[in-house]
Amino acid sequence: MEEYKIIEIKESIFEDNNKDAECLREELLKDGTFLINLMSSPGAGKTTFLLSTIELLQEEFRIGIMEADIDSDVDARTISDKTNAKVIQLHTGGMCHLDADMTRQGLHELDSRNLDLVVLENVGNLVCPAEFDTGANLKVLILSVPEGDDKPYKYPLAFEVADVLIINKIDVKEYFDFDFARAIAEAKRLNPNVKVFPLSGKTKEGIRSWAEYLAQCIMKYKEKQRDLCQECIRK
């Protein structure tokens, strides 16, 4: 009997996607477009969080939103009706995440070259979106108080890859047994550099600190783009 082969398909998929993601980041830098990959479980409050964020930044930055869902356009319609952001809806055809190429397709349809900030609201779950690099400059993870403080223990990869952890819905903390110290400590153990912002997207408590941090990130990114342009001119 002929000996069979074992092919590590998953590793190959990730390797190809990672290369594509790096290429996408280079393309975005040339355009000066800062991309966020926003991840969370369903119902964590991504859309409400976005509405409050856009409200504080839309006068200073040109903003685009890509809403990724298996189906429906509920969130895209909400953002479009309530903000000045440019919005498109991405249907994944049943897939539970976006990869770099799918993100590039969305950016093309959004015409992101004229935007300062684009937020990809990824499909709601804490598994697949954490595994695939979308080419984003900042990975933001939302953990809502009603979900419980044990999520970093159950879904460690999502917390390992996140640059920012938003602890959302702090306005209902008195109704839930949520240990902030425990959740933050475990998140920091998994990722010592993660920045944590407890806030409420609904009441806007704490949202300004997050928005100011994001504005600083965008401005630093713009400076990096200008440096790149100057270097290209000198060459």
Side-chain angles (χ1 to χ4, degrees):
M1 181 181 295
E2 184 178 353
E3 186 175 354
Y4 59 83
K5 294 181 179 180
I6 299 176
I7 303 173
E8 299 292 343
I9 296 177
K10 186 175 182 181
E11 181 177 350
S12 175
I13 290 172
F14 286 156
E15 183 179 353
D16 290 344
N17 182 72
N18 290 342
K19 290 178 182 177
D20 199 16
E22 286 302 321
C23 290
L24 180 55
R25 266 187 283 273
E26 292 176 5
E27 296 166 14
L28 289 168
L29 180 57
K30 291 177 182 177
D31 294 334
T33 303
F34 191 84
L35 176 63
I36 290 178
N37 181 15
L38 182 61
M39 302 173 288
S40 82
S41 298
K46 290 194 297 294
T47 303
T48 302
F49 164 74
L50 277 178
L51 289 172
S52 296
T53 301
I54 294 168
E55 181 181 347
L56 291 176
L57 296 179
Q58 63 185 353
E59 296 300 322
E60 186 176 0
F61 301 108
R62 299 165 297 176
I63 302 174
I65 306 294
M66 299 192 296
E67 290 284 350
D69 287 295
I70 293 175
D71 204 350
S72 89
D73 64 348
V74 174
D75 293 338
R77 187 174 300 279
T78 299
I79 297 288
S80 181
D81 289 345
K82 296 185 177 182
T83 74
N84 295 327
K86 192 173 183 180
V87 184
I88 63 169
Q89 178 71 57
L90 305 178
H91 285 162
T92 65
M95 295 186 68
C96 59
H97 68 278
L98 270 74
D99 60 20
D101 185 61
M102 296 162 71
T103 302
R104 179 183 281 106
Q105 293 178 51
L107 290 166
H108 176 75
E109 293 300 324
L110 190 65
D111 192 13
S112 62
R113 293 170 297 177
N114 297 316
L115 298 174
D116 302 306
L117 169 65
V118 174
V119 180
L120 167 62
E121 183 176 337
N122 217 319
V123 180
N125 74 85
L126 293 179
V127 182
C128 302
E131 294 184 324
F132 286 84
D133 190 345
T134 60
N137 306 110
L138 194 71
K139 302 181 188 72
V140 179
L141 177 65
I142 298 181
L143 167 64
S144 67
V145 168
E147 293 177 74
D149 54 42
D150 60 352
K151 285 296 182 290
Y153 297 90
K154 294 181 176 180
Y155 303 96
L157 181 61
F159 291 84
E160 287 174 8
V161 303
D163 302 300
V164 174
L165 172 61
I166 302 294
I167 301 182
N168 195 21
K169 302 187 181 181
I170 62 172
D171 52 304
V172 298
K173 60 186 177 183
E174 63 182 292
Y175 303 107
F176 294 90
D177 185 19
F178 187 96
D179 189 331
F180 283 82
R182 180 187 186 220
I184 294 172
E186 180 60 13
K188 289 281 189 179
R189 186 190 69 80
L190 292 166
N191 182 356
N193 296 319
V194 70
K195 295 187 179 297
V196 183
F197 293 92
L199 55 81
S200 170
K202 182 177 181 180
T203 67
K204 300 180 176 59
E205 180 184 357
I207 197 75
R208 187 167 295 278
S209 294
W210 149 249
E212 289 174 352
Y213 168 77
L214 178 54
Q216 291 173 3
C217 290
I218 298 170
M219 295 306 296
K220 289 179 181 178
Y221 186 74
K222 291 289 187 181
E223 291 175 5
K224 188 176 179 181
Q225 181 208 18
R226 286 192 289 270
D227 291 342
L228 177 65
C229 291
Q230 290 297 323
E231 184 178 341
C232 291
I233 292 173
R234 287 194 294 270
K235 290 181 178 179

